[in-house]
Amino acid sequence: MAATRVRFCLALLMLVASMAAWMMPSAVAGKGPPPNYADALSKCLMFYEGQRSGKLPPTQRATWRKDSALKDGQDAGVDLVGGYYDAGDNVKFGFPLAFTGTVLAWSIVEFSADMGPELVHAHEALRWVTDYLMKATTQRNRVFVQAGEPYSDHSCWQRPEDMDTPRPSFQVNDTHPGSEVAGETAAALAAASIAFRSSDPAYADNLLSRAKMVYDFAYKYQGSYAQSIGQWVCPFYCDFSGYEDELVWGAAWLNRATNSSDYTKHITRGIQRIQRQMKLRVNGYDWQFSWENKDAGNYILLLLMQRKDDDYSTYAQNFACSLLPQSPYMSTKYTPGGLIQKASMANLQAVTALSFLLVVYGRHLGEVNGVVTCGNSTFPPSALIDLAKSQADYILGDNPLQMSYMVGYGDKFPQRIHHRAASVPSIDQHPQHLWCKDGTPYFLTDAPNPNVLVGALAGGPNDGTDNYLDYRPWANQSEPATYVNAPFVGVLAYFSQHG
């Protein structure tokens, strides 16, 4: 995550000094009370209110947060007020923000019937993304992809309401392309048009029209924003897998949103290039689904939409076979307590995203009476659902430490997440302005955060063990992010009705 890389050295030094005090050793897992998925869903969505940037509405439930970044975009003559801070810092990074929107929309599209009264809050969380993305894409062949200068931001520990670091606006355009971020933005707008189609058809029409315009730009002017914007997005949110997966992703969502095959040629060409890249892997393909890599998500999405002459089922099965612990082709590592281990930073982003795909794929197989075949082994749809449930249960407390990794859920949860707004006293508690370094003592203290960021998912165990360090500077494990929660919304919605 963004702050992780910049603060790594400081965190490592402080980790050594405080290891004895804050390390929680692995233990034998014990069964606690059954998870309350509906309560977890409510809290999971509540988290987004704590991440809001801009002018907060009267309905704001996280009342310790106040208005912030009300001048974003002024340097470029545009209105970029709104959106979400990506994680525990105060920068608005457009690439992970758009992915958050796409997956929130997908959660609603697939599981709105399971959300009950939380559907209203899911729509609110999604609209906070799409309203901002609409502002960022008003002009053809231009997308604003970031607000805030990350290095100065990360050098301060400051609540967003007080931040006085530079807030430059960064854009991609026809001379400085960014196909990955533009493709993801198009996907978010297209997916959201489906999510809002029944409740607000006029808004859905606007989203879809803008999605087409943004995708045309992403496809016509191909190139990576890592080259166009450089150090201002790297090393924070570089796209190491290339932008081809985002172009397929955006095209697939546009086909689904338009109920057409208008973008099929783009999908076919992109998939062919991606498959060539897969074949270059000597030891098999490492299936991922994240803000940076859409490969697994693409195949599951395309499977749901496939026509008679398509065959995405083989790749979808390969994805499942790589995860199922009983599969002869299982290539995924698990901790002794049963948690998927994929990422060294914020491992739960991989866990929630892969669990979401398992539920979507498993439910689809159940509807078509299908199975997963891994060599000589065959698995029913329930095997995928059960695996996703085990991951959700682990996050909610069924783990060796018997703690929830969702702030505010259960009796034992992280108290010191790596998050500026949560760790610095709110304006209600401390009305005086806090300058750049005034928050450093709150960053360094062992005291729990004064503001409870309800629903935030910590990064969680990330070293192959079930250990967790509840230590603010250790951002690899303690920093939340919008894109960690987004797929968990769909997972929790499903299990709240089918648990």
Side-chain angles (χ1 to χ4, degrees), residues 208-291:
L208 183 55
S209 176
R210 187 65 57 80
K212 293 176 182 178
M213 184 182 84
V214 174
Y215 184 83
D216 288 346
F217 160 62
Y219 194 83
K220 182 177 180 180
Y221 299 98
Q222 293 190 21
S224 173
Y225 88 146
Q227 278 72 53
S228 297
I229 301 179
Q231 64 174 333
W232 307 114
V233 295
C234 291
F236 309 103
Y237 287 102
C238 289
D239 186 12
F240 296 106
S241 66
Y243 54 77
E244 202 66 59
D245 53 327
E246 279 81 31
L247 291 178
V248 170
W249 184 239
W253 276 111
L254 278 164
N255 265 2
R256 187 166 181 177
T258 58
N259 193 27
S260 73
S261 57
D262 292 349
Y263 296 85
T264 300
K265 289 183 179 179
H266 295 181
I267 294 170
T268 301
R269 293 192 192 109
I271 288 293
Q272 289 172 347
R273 295 190 183 104
I274 291 170
Q275 289 174 355
R276 284 197 294 269
Q277 294 171 2
M278 288 180 176
K279 290 177 181 178
L280 295 177
R281 298 292 185 99
V282 177
N283 298 315
Y285 188 70
D286 180 25
W287 288 97
Q288 301 280 348
F289 182 48
S290 68
W291 59 264

Coordinates of all heavy atoms in Angstrom, one line a residue, residues 208-291:
L208 N -22.8 4.9 -18.0 CA -22.5 4.1 -19.2 C -22.0 4.9 -20.3 O -21.0 4.5 -21.0 CB -23.7 3.3 -19.6 CG -23.5 2.3 -20.8 CD1 -22.4 1.3 -20.4 CD2 -24.9 1.5 -21.0
S209 N -22.5 6.0 -20.6 CA -22.0 6.9 -21.7 C -20.6 7.3 -21.4 O -19.7 7.3 -22.3 CB -22.9 8.1 -21.8 OG -22.4 9.0 -22.8
R210 N -20.3 7.7 -20.2 CA -19.0 8.1 -19.8 C -18.0 6.9 -19.9 O -16.8 7.0 -20.3 CB -19.0 8.7 -18.4 CG -17.6 9.3 -18.0 CD -17.3 10.5 -18.9 NE -18.3 11.5 -18.8 CZ -18.4 12.4 -17.9 NH1 -17.6 12.4 -16.8 NH2 -19.4 13.3 -17.9
A211 N -18.5 5.7 -19.5 CA -17.6 4.5 -19.5 C -17.2 4.2 -21.0 O -16.0 3.9 -21.2 CB -18.4 3.3 -19.0
K212 N -18.1 4.4 -21.9 CA -17.7 4.2 -23.3 C -16.6 5.2 -23.7 O -15.7 4.8 -24.4 CB -18.9 4.3 -24.2 CG -20.0 3.2 -24.0 CD -21.2 3.5 -24.8 CE -22.3 2.5 -24.6 NZ -23.5 2.7 -25.4
M213 N -16.8 6.4 -23.4 CA -15.9 7.5 -23.8 C -14.5 7.2 -23.2 O -13.5 7.3 -23.8 CB -16.4 8.8 -23.3 CG -15.5 10.0 -23.8 SD -16.1 11.6 -23.2 CE -15.4 11.6 -21.5
V214 N -14.4 6.8 -21.9 CA -13.2 6.6 -21.2 C -12.5 5.4 -21.8 O -11.3 5.3 -22.0 CB -13.4 6.5 -19.7 CG1 -12.1 6.1 -19.0 CG2 -13.9 7.8 -19.1
Y215 N -13.3 4.3 -22.1 CA -12.7 3.1 -22.6 C -12.1 3.4 -24.0 O -11.0 2.9 -24.4 CB -13.7 2.0 -22.7 CG -13.0 0.7 -23.2 CD1 -12.3 -0.1 -22.3 CD2 -13.0 0.3 -24.6 CE1 -11.6 -1.2 -22.7 CE2 -12.3 -0.8 -25.0 CZ -11.6 -1.6 -24.1 OH -11.0 -2.7 -24.5
D216 N -12.8 4.2 -24.8 CA -12.2 4.5 -26.1 C -10.9 5.2 -26.0 O -10.0 4.9 -26.8 CB -13.2 5.4 -26.9 CG -14.5 4.7 -27.3 OD1 -14.5 3.4 -27.3 OD2 -15.4 5.4 -27.7
F217 N -10.7 6.1 -25.0 CA -9.4 6.7 -24.8 C -8.4 5.7 -24.4 O -7.2 5.7 -24.9 CB -9.6 7.8 -23.7 CG -8.3 8.2 -23.1 CD1 -7.3 8.7 -23.8 CD2 -8.2 8.0 -21.7 CE1 -6.1 9.1 -23.1 CE2 -7.0 8.4 -21.0 CZ -6.0 8.9 -21.8
A218 N -8.8 4.8 -23.4 CA -7.8 3.8 -22.9 C -7.3 2.9 -24.0 O -6.1 2.6 -24.1 CB -8.5 3.0 -21.8
Y219 N -8.2 2.6 -25.0 CA -7.8 1.6 -26.0 C -7.1 2.3 -27.2 O -6.1 1.8 -27.8 CB -9.1 0.9 -26.6 CG -8.8 -0.3 -27.4 CD1 -8.5 -1.5 -26.8 CD2 -8.7 -0.2 -28.8 CE1 -8.2 -2.6 -27.6 CE2 -8.4 -1.3 -29.6 CZ -8.2 -2.5 -29.0 OH -7.9 -3.6 -29.7
K220 N -7.5 3.5 -27.5 CA -6.9 4.2 -28.6 C -5.5 4.7 -28.3 O -4.6 4.6 -29.2 CB -7.8 5.4 -29.0 CG -7.3 6.2 -30.2 CD -8.2 7.3 -30.6 CE -7.7 8.1 -31.8 NZ -8.7 9.2 -32.2
Y221 N -5.3 5.2 -27.1 CA -4.0 5.7 -26.7 C -3.4 4.8 -25.7 O -3.5 5.0 -24.5 CB -4.1 7.2 -26.2 CG -4.7 8.1 -27.2 CD1 -6.0 8.5 -27.2 CD2 -3.8 8.7 -28.2 CE1 -6.5 9.3 -28.1 CE2 -4.3 9.6 -29.1 CZ -5.7 9.9 -29.1 OH -6.2 10.8 -30.0
Q222 N -2.7 3.7 -26.2 CA -2.3 2.7 -25.2 C -0.9 3.1 -24.7 O 0.0 3.5 -25.4 CB -2.3 1.4 -25.9 CG -3.7 0.9 -26.3 CD -3.7 -0.6 -26.7 OE1 -2.8 -1.4 -26.4 NE2 -4.8 -0.9 -27.4
G223 N -0.7 2.8 -23.4 CA 0.5 3.0 -22.7 C 0.3 3.0 -21.2 O -0.9 3.0 -20.8
S224 N 1.3 2.9 -20.4 CA 1.2 2.7 -19.0 C 1.3 4.1 -18.3 O 2.2 4.9 -18.6 CB 2.2 1.8 -18.4 OG 2.2 1.8 -17.0
Y225 N 0.5 4.3 -17.3 CA 0.6 5.6 -16.5 C 1.9 5.6 -15.7 O 2.3 6.6 -15.2 CB -0.6 5.8 -15.8 CG -0.8 5.3 -14.4 CD1 -1.5 6.0 -13.4 CD2 -0.3 4.0 -14.0 CE1 -1.6 5.5 -12.1 CE2 -0.5 3.5 -12.7 CZ -1.1 4.3 -11.8 OH -1.3 3.8 -10.5
A226 N 2.5 4.4 -15.5 CA 3.8 4.4 -14.8 C 4.9 5.1 -15.5 O 5.7 5.8 -14.9 CB 4.2 2.9 -14.6
Q227 N 4.8 5.1 -16.9 CA 5.7 5.9 -17.7 C 5.3 7.3 -17.8 O 6.1 8.3 -17.9 CB 5.9 5.3 -19.1 CG 6.8 4.1 -19.2 CD 6.3 2.8 -18.5 OE1 5.2 2.4 -18.8 NE2 7.0 2.3 -17.6
S228 N 4.0 7.6 -17.9 CA 3.5 8.9 -18.1 C 3.6 9.8 -16.9 O 3.9 11.0 -17.0 CB 2.0 8.8 -18.5 OG 1.9 8.2 -19.8
I229 N 3.4 9.2 -15.7 CA 3.4 10.0 -14.5 C 4.6 9.7 -13.6 O 5.0 10.5 -12.8 CB 2.0 9.8 -13.7 CG1 0.8 10.2 -14.6 CG2 2.0 10.6 -12.4 CD1 -0.5 10.0 -13.9
G230 N 5.1 8.5 -13.8 CA 6.4 8.1 -13.2 C 6.3 8.1 -11.6 O 5.5 7.4 -11.0
Q231 N 7.3 8.8 -11.0 CA 7.5 8.7 -9.6 C 6.3 9.1 -8.8 O 6.3 8.8 -7.6 CB 8.7 9.6 -9.2 CG 8.4 11.1 -9.5 CD 9.5 12.0 -9.0 OE1 10.3 11.6 -8.0 NE2 9.7 13.2 -9.6
W232 N 5.3 9.8 -9.3 CA 4.2 10.2 -8.5 C 3.2 9.1 -8.3 O 2.3 9.2 -7.4 CB 3.5 11.4 -9.2 CG 4.5 12.5 -9.5 CD1 4.9 13.0 -10.7 CD2 5.2 13.3 -8.5 NE1 5.8 14.0 -10.6 CE2 6.1 14.2 -9.3 CE3 5.3 13.3 -7.1 CZ2 6.9 15.1 -8.6 CZ3 6.1 14.2 -6.5 CH2 6.9 15.1 -7.2
V233 N 3.3 8.0 -9.1 CA 2.4 6.9 -8.9 C 3.3 5.6 -8.5 O 2.7 4.7 -7.9 CB 1.5 6.5 -10.1 CG1 0.5 7.7 -10.3 CG2 2.4 6.3 -11.3
C234 N 4.5 5.6 -8.9 CA 5.4 4.5 -8.5 C 6.4 5.0 -7.5 O 7.0 6.1 -7.6 CB 6.2 4.0 -9.8 SG 5.2 3.2 -11.0
P235 N 6.7 4.2 -6.4 CA 6.3 2.8 -6.3 C 5.0 2.5 -5.6 O 4.7 1.4 -5.1 CB 7.5 2.3 -5.3 CG 7.7 3.5 -4.4 CD 7.5 4.7 -5.3
F236 N 4.1 3.5 -5.5 CA 2.9 3.4 -4.7 C 1.9 2.4 -5.3 O 1.5 1.4 -4.7 CB 2.3 4.8 -4.5 CG 3.3 5.7 -3.9 CD1 3.8 6.7 -4.8 CD2 3.7 5.7 -2.6 CE1 4.8 7.6 -4.3 CE2 4.7 6.6 -2.1 CZ 5.2 7.5 -3.0
Y237 N 1.5 2.7 -6.6 CA 0.6 1.9 -7.3 C 1.0 1.6 -8.7 O 0.3 2.0 -9.7 CB -0.8 2.5 -7.2 CG -1.5 2.4 -5.8 CD1 -1.5 3.5 -5.0 CD2 -2.0 1.2 -5.4 CE1 -2.1 3.4 -3.7 CE2 -2.5 1.0 -4.1 CZ -2.5 2.2 -3.3 OH -3.1 2.1 -2.0
C238 N 2.2 1.0 -8.9 CA 2.6 0.6 -10.2 C 1.8 -0.6 -10.7 O 1.4 -1.5 -9.9 CB 4.1 0.2 -10.2 SG 5.2 1.6 -9.9
D239 N 1.7 -0.7 -12.0 CA 1.0 -1.8 -12.6 C 2.0 -2.7 -13.2 O 2.4 -2.6 -14.4 CB 0.0 -1.4 -13.7 CG -0.9 -2.5 -14.2 OD1 -0.8 -3.6 -13.6 OD2 -1.5 -2.3 -15.2
F240 N 2.5 -3.7 -12.5 CA 3.5 -4.6 -12.9 C 3.1 -5.7 -13.9 O 3.9 -6.3 -14.6 CB 4.2 -5.3 -11.7 CG 4.9 -4.3 -10.8 CD1 4.4 -4.0 -9.6 CD2 6.1 -3.7 -11.2 CE1 5.0 -3.1 -8.8 CE2 6.8 -2.8 -10.4 CZ 6.2 -2.5 -9.2
S241 N 1.8 -5.9 -13.9 CA 1.2 -7.0 -14.8 C 0.9 -6.5 -16.2 O 0.5 -7.3 -17.1 CB 0.0 -7.6 -14.2 OG -1.1 -6.7 -14.1
G242 N 1.1 -5.2 -16.5 CA 0.8 -4.7 -17.8 C -0.7 -4.2 -17.8 O -1.5 -4.6 -16.9
Y243 N -1.0 -3.5 -18.8 CA -2.4 -2.9 -18.9 C -3.4 -3.7 -19.7 O -4.5 -3.4 -19.8 CB -2.3 -1.4 -19.4 CG -1.6 -1.3 -20.8 CD1 -2.3 -1.6 -22.0 CD2 -0.3 -0.7 -20.8 CE1 -1.6 -1.5 -23.2 CE2 0.3 -0.6 -22.0 CZ -0.3 -0.9 -23.2 OH 0.3 -0.8 -24.4
E244 N -2.9 -4.8 -20.3 CA -3.8 -5.6 -21.2 C -5.0 -6.2 -20.4 O -6.1 -6.2 -20.9 CB -3.0 -6.8 -21.8 CG -3.7 -7.3 -23.1 CD -3.7 -6.3 -24.2 OE1 -2.6 -5.8 -24.7 OE2 -4.8 -6.0 -24.7
D245 N -4.7 -6.6 -19.2 CA -5.8 -7.1 -18.4 C -6.9 -6.1 -18.1 O -8.1 -6.4 -18.0 CB -5.3 -7.8 -17.1 CG -4.5 -6.8 -16.3 OD1 -3.7 -6.0 -16.8 OD2 -4.5 -7.0 -15.0
E246 N -6.5 -4.8 -17.9 CA -7.5 -3.8 -17.6 C -8.3 -3.4 -18.9 O -9.5 -3.1 -18.8 CB -6.8 -2.5 -17.1 CG -6.5 -2.5 -15.6 CD -5.3 -3.3 -15.3 OE1 -4.3 -3.3 -16.1 OE2 -5.2 -3.8 -14.2
L247 N -7.7 -3.5 -20.1 CA -8.4 -3.3 -21.3 C -9.4 -4.4 -21.5 O -10.6 -4.2 -22.0 CB -7.4 -3.2 -22.5 CG -6.5 -2.0 -22.5 CD1 -5.6 -2.1 -23.8 CD2 -7.4 -0.7 -22.6
V248 N -9.1 -5.7 -21.2 CA -10.1 -6.8 -21.3 C -11.2 -6.5 -20.2 O -12.4 -6.7 -20.5 CB -9.4 -8.1 -21.1 CG1 -10.4 -9.2 -20.9 CG2 -8.4 -8.4 -22.2
W249 N -10.8 -6.2 -19.1 CA -11.7 -5.9 -17.9 C -12.7 -4.9 -18.3 O -13.9 -5.0 -18.1 CB -10.8 -5.5 -16.7 CG -11.4 -5.3 -15.4 CD1 -11.4 -4.1 -14.7 CD2 -12.1 -6.2 -14.6 NE1 -11.9 -4.3 -13.5 CE2 -12.4 -5.6 -13.3 CE3 -12.5 -7.6 -14.7 CZ2 -13.0 -6.2 -12.3 CZ3 -13.1 -8.2 -13.6 CH2 -13.4 -7.5 -12.5
G250 N -12.2 -3.7 -18.8 CA -13.2 -2.7 -19.2 C -14.1 -3.1 -20.3 O -15.3 -2.8 -20.3
A251 N -13.5 -3.8 -21.3 CA -14.4 -4.3 -22.4 C -15.4 -5.3 -22.0 O -16.6 -5.2 -22.4 CB -13.5 -4.9 -23.5
A252 N -15.0 -6.1 -21.1 CA -16.0 -7.2 -20.6 C -17.1 -6.5 -19.8 O -18.3 -6.9 -20.0 CB -15.3 -8.2 -19.7
W253 N -16.8 -5.5 -19.0 CA -17.9 -4.8 -18.3 C -18.8 -4.0 -19.2 O -20.0 -3.9 -19.0 CB -17.3 -4.0 -17.2 CG -17.0 -4.8 -15.9 CD1 -15.8 -5.1 -15.4 CD2 -18.0 -5.4 -15.1 NE1 -16.0 -5.8 -14.2 CE2 -17.3 -6.0 -14.0 CE3 -19.4 -5.4 -15.1 CZ2 -18.0 -6.7 -13.0 CZ3 -20.1 -6.1 -14.1 CH2 -19.4 -6.8 -13.1
L254 N -18.2 -3.5 -20.3 CA -19.0 -2.7 -21.2 C -19.9 -3.7 -22.0 O -21.1 -3.3 -22.3 CB -18.1 -1.9 -22.2 CG -17.6 -0.6 -21.6 CD1 -16.5 -0.1 -22.4 CD2 -18.8 0.4 -21.6
N255 N -19.5 -4.9 -22.3 CA -20.3 -5.8 -23.0 C -21.5 -6.2 -22.1 O -22.6 -6.3 -22.5 CB -19.5 -7.1 -23.4 CG -19.1 -7.1 -24.8 OD1 -19.3 -6.1 -25.5 ND2 -18.4 -8.1 -25.2
R256 N -21.2 -6.4 -20.8 CA -22.2 -6.8 -19.9 C -23.2 -5.6 -19.6 O -24.4 -5.9 -19.6 CB -21.6 -7.2 -18.5 CG -22.6 -7.8 -17.5 CD -22.0 -8.5 -16.4 NE -23.0 -9.1 -15.5 CZ -22.8 -9.8 -14.4 NH1 -21.5 -10.2 -14.2 NH2 -23.7 -10.3 -13.7
A257 N -22.7 -4.4 -19.5 CA -23.5 -3.3 -19.3 C -24.4 -3.0 -20.4 O -25.6 -2.5 -20.3 CB -22.7 -2.1 -18.9
T258 N -23.9 -3.2 -21.7 CA -24.7 -2.9 -22.9 C -25.5 -4.1 -23.4 O -26.3 -4.0 -24.3 CB -23.8 -2.4 -24.0 OG1 -22.8 -3.4 -24.3 CG2 -23.1 -1.1 -23.6
N259 N -25.3 -5.3 -22.7 CA -25.9 -6.5 -23.1 C -25.6 -6.8 -24.6 O -26.6 -7.1 -25.4 CB -27.4 -6.5 -22.8 CG -28.0 -7.9 -23.0 OD1 -27.3 -8.9 -22.8 ND2 -29.3 -7.9 -23.3
S260 N -24.4 -6.6 -25.0 CA -24.0 -6.7 -26.4 C -22.7 -7.4 -26.6 O -22.1 -7.8 -25.6 CB -23.9 -5.3 -27.1 OG -22.8 -4.6 -26.6
S261 N -22.2 -7.5 -27.8 CA -20.9 -8.1 -28.1 C -20.0 -7.0 -28.8 O -19.1 -7.4 -29.5 CB -21.0 -9.3 -28.9 OG -21.7 -9.0 -30.1
D262 N -20.3 -5.8 -28.5 CA -19.6 -4.7 -29.3 C -18.1 -4.6 -29.0 O -17.4 -4.2 -29.8 CB -20.2 -3.3 -28.9 CG -21.7 -3.1 -29.4 OD1 -22.1 -4.0 -30.2 OD2 -22.3 -2.2 -28.9
Y263 N -17.7 -5.1 -27.8 CA -16.3 -5.0 -27.4 C -15.6 -6.4 -27.4 O -14.5 -6.5 -26.9 CB -16.2 -4.4 -26.0 CG -16.7 -3.0 -26.0 CD1 -18.0 -2.7 -25.8 CD2 -15.8 -1.9 -26.2 CE1 -18.5 -1.4 -25.8 CE2 -16.3 -0.6 -26.2 CZ -17.6 -0.3 -26.0 OH -18.1 1.0 -26.0
T264 N -16.3 -7.4 -28.1 CA -15.7 -8.7 -28.1 C -14.4 -8.8 -28.7 O -13.5 -9.6 -28.3 CB -16.8 -9.7 -28.7 OG1 -18.0 -9.6 -28.0 CG2 -16.2 -11.1 -28.7
K265 N -14.2 -8.1 -29.8 CA -12.9 -8.2 -30.5 C -11.8 -7.7 -29.6 O -10.7 -8.2 -29.6 CB -12.9 -7.3 -31.8 CG -13.8 -7.9 -32.9 CD -13.7 -7.1 -34.2 CE -14.5 -7.7 -35.3 NZ -14.5 -6.9 -36.5
H266 N -12.0 -6.7 -28.8 CA -11.0 -6.2 -27.9 C -10.7 -7.3 -26.8 O -9.6 -7.4 -26.4 CB -11.5 -4.9 -27.2 CG -11.7 -3.8 -28.1 ND1 -12.1 -2.5 -27.6 CD2 -11.5 -3.6 -29.4 CE1 -12.2 -1.7 -28.7 NE2 -11.8 -2.3 -29.8
I267 N -11.8 -7.9 -26.4 CA -11.6 -9.0 -25.4 C -10.8 -10.1 -25.9 O -9.8 -10.6 -25.3 CB -13.0 -9.5 -24.9 CG1 -13.7 -8.4 -24.1 CG2 -12.8 -10.7 -24.0 CD1 -15.2 -8.7 -23.8
T268 N -11.1 -10.6 -27.1 CA -10.4 -11.7 -27.8 C -8.9 -11.4 -28.0 O -8.1 -12.2 -27.6 CB -11.1 -12.0 -29.1 OG1 -12.5 -12.3 -28.9 CG2 -10.4 -13.2 -29.7
R269 N -8.6 -10.2 -28.5 CA -7.2 -9.9 -28.7 C -6.5 -9.8 -27.4 O -5.3 -10.3 -27.2 CB -7.1 -8.5 -29.4 CG -7.6 -8.5 -30.8 CD -7.2 -7.2 -31.5 NE -7.9 -7.1 -32.8 CZ -8.9 -6.2 -33.0 NH1 -9.3 -5.4 -32.1 NH2 -9.5 -6.1 -34.2
G270 N -7.1 -9.2 -26.4 CA -6.5 -9.1 -25.1 C -6.2 -10.4 -24.4 O -5.2 -10.7 -23.8
I271 N -7.2 -11.3 -24.5 CA -7.1 -12.6 -23.8 C -6.0 -13.4 -24.5 O -5.2 -14.1 -23.9 CB -8.4 -13.4 -23.9 CG1 -9.4 -12.8 -22.9 CG2 -8.2 -14.9 -23.6 CD1 -9.1 -12.9 -21.5
Q272 N -5.9 -13.3 -25.8 CA -4.8 -14.0 -26.5 C -3.4 -13.5 -26.0 O -2.5 -14.3 -25.8 CB -4.9 -13.8 -28.0 CG -6.1 -14.5 -28.7 CD -6.3 -14.1 -30.1 OE1 -5.8 -13.1 -30.6 NE2 -7.2 -14.9 -30.8
R273 N -3.3 -12.2 -25.8 CA -2.0 -11.7 -25.4 C -1.7 -12.2 -23.9 O -0.6 -12.5 -23.6 CB -2.0 -10.2 -25.4 CG -2.0 -9.6 -26.8 CD -1.8 -8.1 -26.9 NE -1.9 -7.6 -28.2 CZ -2.9 -6.9 -28.6 NH1 -3.9 -6.6 -27.8 NH2 -3.0 -6.4 -29.8
I274 N -2.8 -12.2 -23.1 CA -2.6 -12.6 -21.7 C -2.3 -14.1 -21.6 O -1.4 -14.5 -20.8 CB -3.9 -12.3 -20.9 CG1 -4.1 -10.8 -20.7 CG2 -3.9 -13.0 -19.5 CD1 -5.4 -10.4 -20.2
Q275 N -2.9 -14.9 -22.5 CA -2.6 -16.3 -22.5 C -1.2 -16.6 -22.9 O -0.5 -17.5 -22.4 CB -3.6 -17.0 -23.3 CG -5.0 -17.1 -22.7 CD -6.1 -17.7 -23.6 OE1 -5.8 -18.0 -24.8 NE2 -7.3 -17.9 -23.1
R276 N -0.7 -15.8 -23.8 CA 0.7 -16.0 -24.2 C 1.7 -15.7 -23.0 O 2.7 -16.4 -22.8 CB 1.1 -15.1 -25.4 CG 0.6 -15.6 -26.7 CD 1.2 -14.9 -27.9 NE 0.9 -13.5 -28.0 CZ -0.1 -13.0 -28.6 NH1 -0.9 -13.7 -29.3 NH2 -0.2 -11.6 -28.7
Q277 N 1.3 -14.7 -22.3 CA 2.1 -14.4 -21.1 C 2.0 -15.5 -20.1 O 3.0 -15.8 -19.4 CB 1.6 -13.1 -20.4 CG 1.8 -11.9 -21.3 CD 1.1 -10.6 -20.8 OE1 0.5 -10.7 -19.7 NE2 1.2 -9.5 -21.5
M278 N 0.9 -16.1 -19.9 CA 0.7 -17.2 -19.0 C 1.6 -18.4 -19.4 O 2.2 -19.1 -18.5 CB -0.7 -17.7 -19.0 CG -1.7 -16.8 -18.3 SD -3.4 -17.5 -18.4 CE -4.3 -16.2 -17.4
K279 N 1.7 -18.7 -20.6 CA 2.5 -19.8 -21.1 C 4.0 -19.6 -20.9 O 4.8 -20.6 -20.9 CB 2.2 -20.1 -22.6 CG 0.8 -20.6 -22.9 CD 0.5 -20.8 -24.4 CE -0.9 -21.3 -24.6 NZ -1.2 -21.4 -26.0
L280 N 4.4 -18.4 -20.7 CA 5.8 -18.2 -20.4 C 6.2 -18.6 -19.0 O 7.4 -18.6 -18.7 CB 6.1 -16.7 -20.6 CG 6.0 -16.2 -22.1 CD1 6.2 -14.7 -22.1 CD2 6.9 -16.9 -23.0
R281 N 5.2 -18.8 -18.1 CA 5.5 -19.2 -16.7 C 6.0 -20.6 -16.7 O 5.2 -21.5 -17.1 CB 4.3 -19.0 -15.9 CG 3.8 -17.6 -15.8 CD 4.8 -16.7 -15.0 NE 4.2 -15.4 -14.8 CZ 3.7 -15.0 -13.7 NH1 3.5 -15.8 -12.7 NH2 3.2 -13.7 -13.6
V282 N 7.1 -20.9 -16.2 CA 7.7 -22.3 -16.2 C 6.9 -23.1 -15.2 O 6.6 -24.3 -15.5 CB 9.2 -22.2 -15.8 CG1 9.7 -23.7 -15.7 CG2 9.9 -21.4 -16.9
N283 N 6.6 -22.6 -14.0 CA 6.0 -23.4 -13.0 C 4.5 -23.1 -12.8 O 4.0 -23.1 -11.7 CB 6.8 -23.2 -11.6 CG 8.2 -23.6 -11.7 OD1 8.5 -24.7 -12.2 ND2 9.1 -22.8 -11.2
G284 N 3.8 -22.9 -13.9 CA 2.4 -22.6 -13.8 C 2.1 -21.2 -13.5 O 3.0 -20.3 -13.3
Y285 N 0.8 -20.8 -13.5 CA 0.4 -19.4 -13.4 C 0.0 -19.1 -12.0 O -0.8 -19.9 -11.4 CB -0.7 -19.1 -14.4 CG -1.0 -17.7 -14.5 CD1 -0.1 -16.8 -15.1 CD2 -2.2 -17.2 -14.0 CE1 -0.4 -15.4 -15.2 CE2 -2.4 -15.8 -14.0 CZ -1.5 -14.9 -14.6 OH -1.8 -13.6 -14.7
D286 N 0.4 -18.0 -11.5 CA 0.0 -17.6 -10.1 C -1.2 -16.7 -10.3 O -1.1 -15.5 -10.6 CB 1.2 -16.8 -9.5 CG 0.8 -16.3 -8.1 OD1 0.0 -16.9 -7.5 OD2 1.4 -15.3 -7.7
W287 N -2.4 -17.3 -10.0 CA -3.6 -16.6 -10.2 C -3.8 -15.4 -9.2 O -3.6 -15.7 -8.0 CB -4.8 -17.5 -10.1 CG -4.9 -18.4 -11.3 CD1 -4.4 -19.7 -11.4 CD2 -5.5 -18.1 -12.6 NE1 -4.7 -20.2 -12.7 CE2 -5.4 -19.3 -13.4 CE3 -6.1 -17.0 -13.1 CZ2 -5.8 -19.3 -14.7 CZ3 -6.6 -17.1 -14.4 CH2 -6.5 -18.2 -15.2
Q288 N -4.1 -14.2 -9.7 CA -4.3 -13.1 -8.9 C -5.6 -12.3 -9.2 O -6.1 -12.5 -10.3 CB -3.1 -12.1 -9.1 CG -1.7 -12.7 -8.8 CD -1.4 -12.7 -7.3 OE1 -2.1 -12.1 -6.5 NE2 -0.3 -13.4 -6.9
F289 N -6.0 -11.6 -8.3 CA -7.1 -10.7 -8.5 C -7.0 -9.5 -7.5 O -7.1 -9.7 -6.3 CB -8.5 -11.3 -8.3 CG -9.7 -10.4 -8.6 CD1 -9.7 -9.7 -9.8 CD2 -10.7 -10.3 -7.8 CE1 -10.8 -8.8 -10.1 CE2 -11.8 -9.5 -8.1 CZ -11.8 -8.8 -9.2
S290 N -6.6 -8.3 -8.1 CA -6.3 -7.2 -7.2 C -6.5 -5.9 -8.1 O -6.7 -6.0 -9.3 CB -4.9 -7.3 -6.7 OG -4.0 -7.2 -7.7
W291 N -6.2 -4.8 -7.4 CA -6.2 -3.5 -8.2 C -5.2 -3.6 -9.3 O -5.3 -2.9 -10.3 CB -5.9 -2.4 -7.2 CG -4.6 -2.5 -6.5 CD1 -4.4 -2.9 -5.2 CD2 -3.3 -2.1 -7.0 NE1 -3.0 -2.9 -4.9 CE2 -2.3 -2.4 -6.0 CE3 -2.8 -1.5 -8.2 CZ2 -1.0 -2.1 -6.1 CZ3 -1.5 -1.3 -8.4 CH2 -0.6 -1.6 -7.3

